[in-house]
Amino acid sequence: MGIREFPGGTPRGKGIAISMRRSPDVSPRRLSDISPQLRQLKYLVVDEAIKEDLKWSRSVEDLTGGPAGLTSIEERILRITGYYGYQPWAASYKREERPRDGPGPAEAPAGAEAGRANRSGCRCSGPQLRKLSWGLAVVLCVCASWAGSTQLAKLTFQTFDAPFTLTWFATTWNCLFFPLYYAGHVCKAADRQSVKQRYRECCRFFGDNGLTLKVFFTKAAPFGVLWTLTNYLYLHAIKKINTTDVSVLFCCNKAFVFLLSWIVLRDRFMGVRIVAAILAIAGIVMMTYADGFHSHSVIGIALVVGSASMSALYKVLFKLLLGSAKFGEAALFLSILGVFNVLFITCIPVILYFTKVEYWSSFNDIPWGNLCGFSVLLLTFNIVLNFGIAVTYPTLMSLGIVLSVPVNAVVDHYTSEIVFNGVRVIAIIIIGLGFLLLLLPEEWDVWLVKLLTRLKVRKKEETAEGGGDLGSGPRNKSRRARPSFAR
């Protein structure tokens, strides 16, 4: 770091200024070479100690006063403020170098025109509006399919008391995932591939050797078991308690995912998510207390909490063992789960039938319409939940699950004898609030601070502009009166 002599001195009594450190890419020789960055100075927050000096200085006015003002701005800044550490080029260099984790408030613009455009308000572009429109459609689809499948399962158990058989039948429909994906690939892809080529390309998700017998039993079979347990426990809970309690308690799986990710995957600790997990646990306890700790309600709540835990374990293990999957890879994986269900789970409904645990007198008595309707709704729910990210934001898709709770509550109010006492309502609100807190992004606190700072700066600018307009007349009058007063 070099030292050079500065002519004219400074108000601090110093005649020596330390030359500014230069960034690796940009090496300005004087401040007049970086006029766009200099225009950012009027957005700076000035220390209280030098506000009075800047108040009577024309340095800020010289920023927009043409080339003459830009030529003398270096002397004015260093002489009046005595501040040598400001490096506008280094700040912009660091800002460009930092990666962006998510969509947040935009950085302050370099030019005054960009600043005025930014202050005029945020306007959504065409793609953003399209994405939000698709998001609304996806939210409605997720909510309708999840609430519809839950209500249809409740209706089915009135004439067909076989939750595991219903789980097996619905999981078999997972075999349709990859054929449906390939049909979409043929309709939309520019370079179409054959089924064999597309299958081989998606099999790379499992490793260099593709889908081998060892990979099938080590990486697919455990997830098939977890998938079956999640759906069976959920359906069995519907037999014990009302659908409103089942749907709201299943929302706790988001809190379980965070806790397992924090322990197993060493994810970032976030205090707001710990609060959400505590709210979820408190909601479970209050929901148990709402019906007075009866055996059926306690067993039903335990079943749905177990279903939420299996769902959380499925998601965390998938991220740990397989990572993230593309659309074709996810479709192939879900189809493999359907194949595993047909090959290895089929024997269990047969055993339950002959042992009369899940027994029906005749196959003609099976409500095939309800079974197929439930399977179609569950398949639609999983398709939208896994592939909706292509057209909208993941947070909007998650909102569809929590919005199914009031839908089920309305249906239960007119079709069952549910009592919405104060404890149950508070438990539903607490669990829903915890679910919404878990949807906050990791950098939500940084974005909130930036937004509040932006609003504060904008308010100061509006106040300063209003005060400048009111004081411009008397100031000009006093300036014109000074020569006559001298005479």
Side-chain angles (χ1 to χ4, degrees):
M1 185 176 291
I3 298 177
R4 61 185 176 87
E5 190 76 13
F6 183 79
T10 63
R12 313 272 184 185
K14 304 278 186 181
I16 299 176
I18 303 175
S19 63
M20 289 184 262
R21 179 171 56 85
R22 299 170 183 175
S23 64
D25 295 335
V26 186
S27 179
R29 297 180 62 86
R30 59 186 182 275
L31 290 177
S32 58
D33 294 334
I34 51 170
S35 56
Q37 286 81 1
L38 284 174
R39 293 190 180 97
Q40 290 182 348
L41 288 176
K42 60 180 176 180
Y43 299 106
L44 292 178
V45 179
V46 184
D47 295 338
E48 295 291 339
I50 60 174
K51 272 187 175 180
E52 293 299 325
D53 292 335
L54 289 177
K55 182 178 180 180
W56 301 106
S57 172
R58 296 182 68 248
S59 299
V60 178
E61 297 176 4
D62 289 338
L63 288 173
T64 56
L70 292 176
T71 305
S72 60
I73 189 62
E74 179 179 2
E75 295 181 4
R76 291 181 177 276
I77 291 175
L78 296 177
R79 184 174 68 252
I80 296 173
T81 66
Y83 181 65
Y84 306 102
Y86 177 66
Q87 303 176 26
W89 55 87
S92 63
Y93 172 78
K94 292 179 181 178
R95 188 165 57 245
E96 293 173 0
E97 186 181 32
R98 184 174 64 248
R100 294 185 177 181
D101 296 332
E107 298 291 342
E113 295 80 9
R116 287 192 295 269
N118 189 39
R119 291 192 298 270
S120 64
C122 298
R123 295 183 176 86
C124 293
S125 60
Q128 289 176 334
L129 289 175
R130 195 179 305 114
K131 208 167 187 179
L132 290 174
S133 302
W134 274 108
L136 180 61
V138 167
V139 166
L140 295 177
C141 188
V142 169
C143 178
S145 59
W146 186 240
S149 62
T150 302
Q151 293 294 332
L152 195 56
K154 186 77 171 180
L155 183 64
T156 303
F157 291 146
Q158 296 177 2
T159 56
F160 184 72
D161 188 10
F164 195 92
T165 303
L166 181 59
T167 300
W168 171 84
F169 184 79
T171 306
T172 305
W173 287 57
N174 279 12
C175 298
L176 298 176
F177 267 100
F178 190 75
L180 291 175
Y181 163 76
Y182 183 74
H185 166 74
V186 171
C187 294
K188 297 201 69 175
D191 50 343
R192 301 174 183 175
Q193 297 177 338
S194 63
V195 179
K196 190 174 182 179
Q197 290 175 337
R198 199 63 188 167
Y199 170 78
R200 287 181 176 179
E201 184 175 341
C202 293
C203 280
R204 295 176 186 173
F205 173 67
F206 298 101
D208 297 334
N209 297 327
L211 183 61
T212 60
L213 195 62
K214 179 181 178 181
V215 170
F216 179 81
F217 283 104
T218 56
K219 293 187 177 181
F223 293 100
V225 174
L226 290 174
W227 182 282
T228 303
L229 285 175
T230 300
N231 288 277
Y232 169 69
L233 293 175
Y234 185 85
L235 293 177
H236 198 67
I238 293 177
K239 288 178 54 181
K240 302 291 184 180
I241 56 179
N242 56 76
T243 56
T244 303
D245 295 350
V246 172
S247 58
V248 72
L249 287 171
F250 190 78
C251 292
C252 295
N253 77 319
K254 201 84 173 174
F256 299 155
V257 168
F258 163 69
L259 294 175
L260 287 175
S261 300
W262 181 38
I263 297 171
V264 178
L265 302 178
R266 299 290 190 270
D267 278 2
R268 175 186 172 188
F269 174 82
M270 291 183 63
V272 67
R273 294 186 178 179
I274 289 292
V275 173
I278 295 173
L279 291 176
I281 297 172
I284 293 172
V285 175
M286 293 184 66
M287 191 67 71
T288 308
Y289 179 76
D291 289 331
F293 294 97
H294 298 299
S295 59
H296 280 280
S297 63
V298 172
I299 293 174
I301 290 172
L303 288 172
V304 69
V305 170
S307 174
S309 303
M310 292 298 105
S311 174
L313 186 61
Y314 175 95
K315 295 177 181 179
V316 173
L317 286 181
F318 187 91
K319 189 175 181 180
L320 178 65
L321 300 178
L322 299 175
S324 58
K326 299 177 181 178
F327 296 124
E329 297 167 349
L332 178 62
F333 183 79
L334 293 173
S335 295
I336 291 172
L337 295 186
V339 173
F340 171 82
N341 180 74
V342 173
L343 295 178
F344 298 98
I345 308 296
T346 305
C347 60
I348 298 180
V350 175
I351 294 173
L352 294 177
Y353 175 79
F354 285 106
T355 56
K356 294 189 177 182
V357 176
E358 293 186 357
Y359 182 77
W360 52 93
S361 57
S362 173
F363 283 92
N364 294 328
D365 297 334
I366 298 177
W368 292 106
N370 290 349
L371 264 67
C372 293
F374 171 78
S375 302
V376 169
L377 287 175
L378 194 61
L379 180 67
T380 304
F381 171 78
N382 288 308
I383 288 175
V384 175
L385 204 63
N386 284 278
F387 304 113
I389 192 175
V391 294
T392 187
Y393 304 101
T395 303
L396 292 178
M397 295 188 298
S398 299
L399 286 177
I401 299 176
V402 73
L403 288 178
S404 66
V405 175
V407 175
N408 287 320
V410 172
V411 176
D412 285 345
H413 178 70
Y414 290 102
T415 60
S416 65
E417 298 178 355
I418 184 174
V419 178
F420 289 99
N421 52 26
V423 177
R424 175 174 274 110
V425 172
I426 293 174
I428 292 174
I429 293 174
I430 286 176
I431 295 176
L433 179 61
F435 187 90
L436 295 177
L437 288 178
L438 289 166
L439 296 181
L440 292 175
E442 292 186 356
E443 303 296 335
W444 70 273
D445 52 345
V446 178
W447 297 351
L448 182 61
V449 170
K450 286 184 177 180
L451 178 61
L452 293 177
T453 305
R454 185 72 54 83
L455 293 176
K456 187 177 180 181
V457 171
R458 183 178 300 178
K459 186 176 180 180
K460 288 183 177 180
E461 290 176 358
E462 292 176 355
T463 305
E465 289 176 359
D469 293 339
L470 292 175
S472 59
R475 187 183 306 139
N476 294 335
K477 184 178 180 180
S478 62
R479 287 180 181 175
R480 288 192 301 267
R482 282 175 186 172
S484 59
F485 178 77
R487 286 194 297 266

